[in-house]
Amino acid sequence: MQWVVLIIAGLFETFWAYELKLSEGFTRLVPSLLTIGGMIVSFGLLSYALKSLPLSVGYAVWTGIGIVGAAVMGIVVLKEPASVAKLVCIVLVIVGIVGLNLTTHEG
């Protein structure tokens, strides 16, 4: 269950990052409120998940989902350029998260 909560927390991180972009420096009310609400939900769910997950994995997965989600959102929704280097870096973030998860279960 903590993994589901952590994944949802990471998705909310992607959500609030996108809304932060739309808030235009907190000058637009609705995206600003959605940013703050998304942050509260994301941090709350992360906090709950970290009760039973190791910090090294939980925080990495949460930020990784946010990093990858924001990058993909930027490319797909905001039409930001998708260079080969950017895509390779996104894959490296995913590999790093999987690696941390695998090494946490050793020994």
Side-chain angles (χ1 to χ4, degrees), residues 2-3 6 46 49-61 100-101 104-105:
Q2 69 269 18
W3 284 104
L6 184 62
L46 173 63
L50 288 178
K51 285 181 170 182
S52 57
L53 290 174
L55 175 64
S56 61
V57 174
Y59 187 75
V61 169
L100 271 175
N101 190 21
T104 298
H105 299 294

Side-chain angles (χ1 to χ4, degrees), residues 46-82:
L46 173 63
S47 175
Y48 179 79
L50 288 178
K51 285 181 170 182
S52 57
L53 290 174
L55 175 64
S56 61
V57 174
Y59 187 75
V61 169
W62 179 72
T63 57
I65 292 170
I67 292 165
V68 172
V72 170
M73 184 77 71
I75 292 167
V76 173
V77 177
L78 300 174
K79 307 298 183 208
E80 295 173 357

Side-chain angles (χ1 to χ4, degrees), residues 15-39:
F15 169 78
W16 71 251
Y18 175 70
E19 290 298 327
L20 182 62
K21 172 72 173 168
L22 297 182
S23 78
E24 297 178 8
F26 289 108
T27 61
R28 297 181 59 219
L29 181 61
V30 172
S32 298
L33 293 174
L34 290 172
T35 298
I36 294 166
M39 287 176 168

Side-chain angles (χ1 to χ4, degrees), residues 83-101:
S83 66
V84 171
K86 184 183 283 189
L87 297 175
V88 167
C89 290
I90 291 170
V91 170
L92 289 173
V93 169
I94 295 168
V95 169
I97 293 166
V98 170
L100 271 175
N101 190 21

